[in-house]
Amino acid sequence: MKRLGSIICLVALIVTMTANTCFAAQTLKIEDSYPVDGQKNTTKENLCVKLTFNEEVGTKDIKKANSECFKITDENGKKVPIKVFFDPDDLKKVMVLADTTKKLNITDNTEYTLTIDPAFQDKNGDTLDKEKKISFTTMDQAKGTKVYMLMMVLMFVGIFAFSTLQAKKQAAKMMGDEKEKEAPFNPYKEAKKTGKPVEEIIAEHEKEVEKKKAKEARKAAHEKRKKEDEEIEDEEPDNGNYKVKRPRPIADGGSSYITGRKAEAEARIAEEERLARRRAANKKKKK
């Protein structure tokens, strides 16, 4: 009985130790990556993969060994020269970057694969349970350029169409305004719209028509005078004399000469008034 109990205890101890070892070996894992596995249209310039683990993997004692656990290959299995950087502010983060100091041949629309060796470990000595791979495909630049050009063409076509439509609307509006101006006057329609008596509407309309005619007449007269003045100014002298078509004041010729007739007339009137006052005063004294 004692022997059976000892055997059971020994088996339980072995199972417990084995379980702990198994779980401990599987604690390290990738929590996040960019690009993610299977991602399309990644940039080929500055080709890189950013990884975030659940444990610190960039401590001083394991950094060098972990750097040798990465490789990037193309579709044909050809290796891409890389550099591995550990984030000093967050030792859980790693960036695997194509080494631009060496000759690179990163092509469009090509699948590349990052492989992480299962020996990759964290600060506790825990490793990956198996080899990890993240595949991604670079962007097809030629196709992207075509799409971009097509979008630009569509944008310009849209702008042109919108501008044309706006121009047509503006033209239609102007034509409508002209038609509205040319439409015959309907006093009954205006009376119905404004609520005013028809007689008042007709009187207001006639007043507006007269104002418009007077304005046009003034404008026509002004234009006529302006035209005549221009013709007079353009006439050449004949034997030293200028011909004019109508009397013009001396000021129009630029003269500032004053004849003195107005002053003489005013002085004469003032003298007559003075004499009249004097006669009236003398007449009063005689009485």
Side-chain angles (χ1 to χ4, degrees):
M1 195 68 174
K2 291 181 179 180
R3 184 179 180 184
L4 181 60
S6 299
I7 294 173
I8 292 174
C9 291
L10 181 61
V11 171
L13 181 61
I14 294 172
V15 170
T16 302
M17 293 178 63
T18 305
N20 290 337
T21 304
C22 293
F23 285 119
Q26 297 180 9
T27 54
L28 181 60
K29 62 180 180 179
I30 300 173
E31 287 192 336
D32 188 28
S33 72
Y34 180 82
V36 297
D37 187 38
Q39 186 166 329
K40 307 290 185 182
N41 297 323
T42 62
T43 178
K44 72 175 186 177
E45 286 78 17
N46 298 324
L47 182 74
C48 72
V49 180
K50 298 177 183 178
L51 301 166
T52 302
F53 293 87
N54 63 327
E55 297 290 345
E56 293 184 357
V57 294
T59 54
K60 188 175 180 181
D61 55 333
I62 59 174
K63 187 192 308 186
K64 184 176 180 181
N66 281 347
S67 299
E68 298 175 356
C69 293
F70 296 99
K71 67 177 179 179
I72 295 178
T73 54
D74 60 15
E75 296 173 339
N76 300 319
K78 185 178 179 180
K79 288 185 178 182
V80 176
I82 61 172
K83 286 184 177 180
V84 180
F85 298 94
F86 295 88
D87 188 344
D89 297 324
D90 189 350
L91 298 178
K92 295 180 180 180
K93 294 183 178 181
V94 186
M95 183 171 68
V96 183
L97 178 69
D99 190 354
T100 55
T101 62
K102 297 182 181 179
K103 186 177 180 180
L104 297 175
N105 187 26
I106 309 299
T107 56
D108 294 342
N109 196 28
T110 303
E111 184 179 84
Y112 289 88
T113 301
L114 171 71
T115 304
I116 309 173
D117 192 276
F120 188 80
Q121 60 180 327
D122 62 16
K123 65 176 183 179
N124 301 317
D126 298 327
T127 59
L128 297 171
D129 57 340
K130 61 179 180 179
E131 185 179 72
K132 300 293 184 181
K133 291 187 177 183
I134 298 175
S135 298
F136 52 93
T137 305
T138 54
M139 182 185 298
D140 189 345
Q141 296 283 6
K143 183 178 179 181
T145 302
K146 290 180 181 178
V147 172
Y148 174 77
M149 293 300 295
L150 179 61
M151 291 178 65
M152 290 294 293
V153 170
L154 291 175
M155 183 180 71
F156 281 117
V157 170
I159 293 174
F160 178 76
F162 178 76
S163 301
T164 304
L165 182 61
Q166 288 296 107
K168 288 182 178 179
K169 286 184 178 180
Q170 188 67 21
K173 183 180 179 182
M174 292 177 65
M175 291 180 66
D177 293 341
E178 290 296 327
K179 289 181 179 179
E180 186 177 349
K181 290 179 182 178
E182 296 174 0
F185 173 67
N186 188 339
Y188 299 100
K189 184 178 179 180
E190 289 296 322
K192 184 178 180 181
K193 183 166 60 176
T194 60
K196 296 180 180 179
V198 175
E199 293 78 6
E200 184 179 348
I201 295 293
I202 294 174
E204 289 179 354
H205 178 67
E206 289 177 350
K207 187 182 292 185
E208 289 295 327
V209 170
E210 291 300 325
K211 285 183 179 180
K212 185 176 181 181
K213 286 182 179 179
K215 184 177 180 181
E216 291 176 352
R218 288 195 299 271
K219 184 178 180 181
H222 176 73
E223 292 294 331
K224 184 179 179 180
R225 286 196 301 270
K226 184 178 179 181
K227 185 177 180 181
E228 289 177 353
D229 290 343
E230 290 175 353
E231 290 177 353
I232 292 170
E233 291 175 357
D234 292 339
E235 288 181 351
E236 293 293 331
D238 184 14
N239 296 325
N241 298 319
Y242 288 91
K243 295 181 179 180
V244 297
K245 293 185 178 180
R246 64 177 177 85
R248 301 174 65 193
I250 192 170
D252 287 353
S255 175
S256 59
Y257 176 72
I258 300 176
T259 61
R261 293 177 182 177
K262 182 178 179 181
E264 290 177 359
E266 290 176 351
R268 185 168 57 253
I269 293 171
E271 181 64 20
E272 289 176 355
E273 291 178 350
R274 187 181 67 80
L275 291 174
R277 288 195 299 272
R278 186 173 179 182
R279 290 191 195 100
N282 290 336
K283 188 175 180 182
K284 187 176 181 181
K285 287 180 181 180
K286 289 179 180 180
K287 289 182 178 182

